[in-house]
Amino acid sequence: MSINVLFFARYAEAVGFDSLEMEGDFATVEAVRLALASDPEFAVLNETSLMCARNEELCSLDEPVQAGDEVAFFPPVTGG
Amino acid sequence: MAIRVQAQAFDPGAEVNAMHAANVGVGAVVSFVGYVRDFNDGLDVAGMFLEHYPGMTEKALAKIAVEAEQRWPLLKLEVLHRIGALEPGEPIVFVGAASAHRQAAFDACAFVMDYLKTRAPFWKKENTSEGARWVEGRHSDQAAADRWK
């Protein structure tokens, strides 16, 4: 299956781009994170303060993922 | 309920006045305005850039506003957040809560800000005297949000 992965703010700077299309079987957001974080280029995704969203809603790492989903990883938010 | 995410500057006074202009049943308006400071964590700040997650930002703010409306008897609730480049002294965020009596407006305004700080996808990058840096999240913000659970 194919999913779209987005990075924001410091994470986008760390990996060098804002988005990427991933092919593979991912049961959860955590599976997506692990698949990426095995590559040193995505080491920033190992930060314990990482936040994530699925289809534009905050979620936990055990959130299930389906084909066509948009999964986003980002550092703690700092608005307001 | 009104949610606005915009690059344009806004006038907080005009926003407050508009909170009750259309409804004389409003007896209380509580508003919060957040401003860009010229100093943070030991460094002078010349300005900042507010990045966000288009699409999710509006949804996240709407979800917070809906939850506030479910918890308190509000007559109007407005959330306005700037994005893009901002200078010291400029308003970043406005939250206005209107109700018949003050307590609901006080509580709803604080609730929306506490949740916005921890759940709305905005990130500040400051231009400091020592270069650009991303603002780090604060544990105190999470503690503030947790008190509404």
Side-chain angles (χ1 to χ4, degrees), chain A residues 9 77-80, chain B residues 5-7 10 34-36 47-54 57 80-87 90-93 116 120-127 134-135:
Chain A
V77 299
T78 55
Chain B
V5 179
Q6 63 184 54
F10 65 91
Y35 295 92
V36 181
M48 69 165 59
F49 188 87
L50 260 160
E51 182 176 333
H52 77 125
Y53 182 170
T57 308
L80 201 174
H81 207 295
R82 295 277 305 275
I83 51 173
L86 288 112
E87 294 180 3
E90 282 197 89
I92 304 178
V93 59
L116 182 156
F122 295 100
W123 300 273
K124 291 173 182 153
K125 192 174 195 181
E126 296 172 334
N127 301 316
W134 291 101
V135 172

Side-chain angles (χ1 to χ4, degrees), chain A residues 6-10 12-13 18 51-53 55-58 70-72 74-80, chain B residues 51-56 59 63 81 92-93 116-125 134-137:
Chain A
L6 305 182
F7 307 100
F8 289 94
R10 186 164 54 77
E13 285 186 356
D18 301 329
M51 292 179 74
C52 52
N55 296 335
E56 302 184 340
E57 285 214 37
L58 281 185
E70 178 175 287
V71 172
F74 41 83
V77 299
T78 55
Chain B
E51 182 176 333
H52 77 125
Y53 182 170
M56 179 176 165
K59 283 185 190 173
K63 194 172 172 182
H81 207 295
I92 304 178
V93 59
L116 182 156
K117 279 275 186 184
T118 51
R119 300 182 181 197
F122 295 100
W123 300 273
K124 291 173 182 153
K125 192 174 195 181
W134 291 101
V135 172
E136 295 293 327

Side-chain angles (χ1 to χ4, degrees), chain B residues 66-94:
Chain B
V66 165
E67 191 165 341
E69 288 179 333
Q70 287 169 346
R71 287 186 181 218
W72 293 280
L74 303 178
L75 295 168
K76 197 170 168 67
L77 179 60
E78 181 169 331
V79 183
L80 201 174
H81 207 295
R82 295 277 305 275
I83 51 173
L86 288 112
E87 294 180 3
E90 282 197 89
I92 304 178
V93 59
F94 173 87

Side-chain angles (χ1 to χ4, degrees), chain A residues 50-70:
Chain A
L50 167 138
M51 292 179 74
C52 52
R54 173 177 166 252
N55 296 335
E56 302 184 340
E57 285 214 37
L58 281 185
C59 66
S60 59
L61 284 167
D62 57 12
E63 176 84 0
V65 172
Q66 295 182 344
D69 278 355
E70 178 175 287

